[in-house]
mmCIF file of all heavy atoms in Angstrom:
data_model
loop_
_atom_site.group_PDB
_atom_site.id
_atom_site.type_symbol
_atom_site.label_atom_id
_atom_site.label_comp_id
_atom_site.label_asym_id
_atom_site.label_seq_id
_atom_site.Cartn_x
_atom_site.Cartn_y
_atom_site.Cartn_z
ATOM 1 N N LEU Y 71 3.629 -3.209 -9.331
ATOM 2 C CA LEU Y 71 3.652 -2.392 -8.153
ATOM 3 C C LEU Y 71 3.168 -0.955 -8.453
ATOM 4 O O LEU Y 71 2.396 -0.377 -7.717
ATOM 5 C CB LEU Y 71 5.077 -2.329 -7.560
ATOM 6 C CG LEU Y 71 5.201 -1.475 -6.276
ATOM 7 C CD1 LEU Y 71 4.555 -2.221 -5.051
ATOM 8 C CD2 LEU Y 71 6.696 -1.243 -5.951
ATOM 9 N N SER Y 72 3.566 -0.437 -9.623
ATOM 10 C CA SER Y 72 3.135 0.862 -10.060
ATOM 11 C C SER Y 72 1.655 0.941 -10.327
ATOM 12 O O SER Y 72 0.982 1.868 -9.927
ATOM 13 C CB SER Y 72 3.873 1.320 -11.357
ATOM 14 O OG SER Y 72 5.261 1.583 -11.089
ATOM 15 N N THR Y 73 1.117 -0.118 -10.920
ATOM 16 C CA THR Y 73 -0.332 -0.177 -11.151
ATOM 17 C C THR Y 73 -1.082 -0.218 -9.843
ATOM 18 O O THR Y 73 -2.078 0.465 -9.606
ATOM 19 C CB THR Y 73 -0.712 -1.496 -11.963
ATOM 20 O OG1 THR Y 73 0.137 -1.538 -13.129
ATOM 21 C CG2 THR Y 73 -2.161 -1.510 -12.381
ATOM 22 N N LEU Y 74 -0.528 -0.997 -8.905
ATOM 23 C CA LEU Y 74 -1.127 -1.159 -7.566
ATOM 24 C C LEU Y 74 -1.141 0.195 -6.839
ATOM 25 O O LEU Y 74 -2.106 0.551 -6.179
ATOM 26 C CB LEU Y 74 -0.372 -2.232 -6.771
ATOM 27 C CG LEU Y 74 -0.901 -2.607 -5.391
ATOM 28 C CD1 LEU Y 74 -2.214 -3.369 -5.544
ATOM 29 C CD2 LEU Y 74 0.101 -3.421 -4.684
ATOM 30 N N ASP Y 75 0.005 0.910 -6.931
ATOM 31 C CA ASP Y 75 0.114 2.210 -6.226
ATOM 32 C C ASP Y 75 -0.880 3.251 -6.767
ATOM 33 O O ASP Y 75 -1.387 4.022 -5.998
ATOM 34 C CB ASP Y 75 1.594 2.710 -6.367
ATOM 35 C CG ASP Y 75 2.544 2.099 -5.388
ATOM 36 O OD1 ASP Y 75 2.022 1.614 -4.354
ATOM 37 O OD2 ASP Y 75 3.752 2.122 -5.598
ATOM 38 N N ILE Y 76 -1.142 3.193 -8.053
ATOM 39 C CA ILE Y 76 -2.163 4.118 -8.660
ATOM 40 C C ILE Y 76 -3.549 3.799 -8.014
ATOM 41 O O ILE Y 76 -4.280 4.646 -7.615
ATOM 42 C CB ILE Y 76 -2.209 4.004 -10.165
ATOM 43 C CG1 ILE Y 76 -0.895 4.560 -10.764
ATOM 44 C CG2 ILE Y 76 -3.381 4.782 -10.744
ATOM 45 C CD1 ILE Y 76 -0.728 4.234 -12.262
ATOM 46 N N CYS Y 77 -3.844 2.461 -7.986
ATOM 47 C CA CYS Y 77 -5.183 2.070 -7.433
ATOM 48 C C CYS Y 77 -5.295 2.346 -5.973
ATOM 49 O O CYS Y 77 -6.273 2.909 -5.529
ATOM 50 C CB CYS Y 77 -5.329 0.529 -7.611
ATOM 51 S SG CYS Y 77 -5.356 0.002 -9.346
ATOM 52 N N TYR Y 78 -4.193 2.089 -5.231
ATOM 53 C CA TYR Y 78 -4.120 2.277 -3.828
ATOM 54 C C TYR Y 78 -4.393 3.758 -3.446
ATOM 55 O O TYR Y 78 -5.200 4.060 -2.560
ATOM 56 C CB TYR Y 78 -2.723 1.848 -3.378
ATOM 57 C CG TYR Y 78 -2.432 1.763 -1.886
ATOM 58 C CD1 TYR Y 78 -3.372 1.249 -1.022
ATOM 59 C CD2 TYR Y 78 -1.191 2.133 -1.396
ATOM 60 C CE1 TYR Y 78 -3.044 1.088 0.344
ATOM 61 C CE2 TYR Y 78 -0.917 1.993 -0.043
ATOM 62 C CZ TYR Y 78 -1.818 1.443 0.797
ATOM 63 O OH TYR Y 78 -1.550 1.356 2.152
ATOM 64 N N SER Y 79 -3.706 4.649 -4.165
ATOM 65 C CA SER Y 79 -3.826 6.064 -3.915
ATOM 66 C C SER Y 79 -5.214 6.581 -4.370
ATOM 67 O O SER Y 79 -5.789 7.457 -3.702
ATOM 68 C CB SER Y 79 -2.740 6.848 -4.679
ATOM 69 O OG SER Y 79 -2.598 8.099 -4.166
ATOM 70 N N SER Y 80 -5.753 5.975 -5.454
ATOM 71 C CA SER Y 80 -7.044 6.466 -5.994
ATOM 72 C C SER Y 80 -8.231 6.170 -5.088
ATOM 73 O O SER Y 80 -9.239 6.804 -5.126
ATOM 74 C CB SER Y 80 -7.306 5.837 -7.359
ATOM 75 O OG SER Y 80 -6.295 6.213 -8.275
ATOM 76 N N VAL Y 81 -8.045 5.147 -4.240
ATOM 77 C CA VAL Y 81 -9.138 4.802 -3.290
ATOM 78 C C VAL Y 81 -9.279 5.882 -2.220
ATOM 79 O O VAL Y 81 -10.394 6.124 -1.766
ATOM 80 C CB VAL Y 81 -8.823 3.428 -2.619
ATOM 81 C CG1 VAL Y 81 -9.824 3.132 -1.513
ATOM 82 C CG2 VAL Y 81 -8.844 2.302 -3.660
ATOM 83 N N ILE Y 82 -8.187 6.536 -1.895
ATOM 84 C CA ILE Y 82 -8.177 7.489 -0.750
ATOM 85 C C ILE Y 82 -8.139 8.945 -1.125
ATOM 86 O O ILE Y 82 -8.946 9.732 -0.705
ATOM 87 C CB ILE Y 82 -6.951 7.193 0.179
ATOM 88 C CG1 ILE Y 82 -6.821 5.729 0.488
ATOM 89 C CG2 ILE Y 82 -6.997 8.059 1.384
ATOM 90 C CD1 ILE Y 82 -7.553 5.150 1.593
ATOM 91 N N THR Y 83 -7.145 9.272 -1.968
ATOM 92 C CA THR Y 83 -6.724 10.671 -2.143
ATOM 93 C C THR Y 83 -7.776 11.550 -2.795
ATOM 94 O O THR Y 83 -8.064 12.614 -2.272
ATOM 95 C CB THR Y 83 -5.432 10.760 -2.902
ATOM 96 O OG1 THR Y 83 -4.559 9.716 -2.451
ATOM 97 C CG2 THR Y 83 -4.700 12.051 -2.644
ATOM 98 N N PRO Y 84 -8.453 11.179 -3.974
ATOM 99 C CA PRO Y 84 -9.397 12.134 -4.572
ATOM 100 C C PRO Y 84 -10.496 12.475 -3.631
ATOM 101 O O PRO Y 84 -10.949 13.614 -3.527
ATOM 102 C CB PRO Y 84 -9.883 11.343 -5.778
ATOM 103 C CG PRO Y 84 -8.822 10.367 -6.072
ATOM 104 C CD PRO Y 84 -8.248 9.983 -4.784
#
Side-chain angles (χ1 to χ4, degrees):
L71 182 72
S72 289
T73 309
L74 186 70
D75 279 338
I76 293 168
C77 298
Y78 190 39
S79 195
S80 297
V81 173
I82 312 275
T83 322

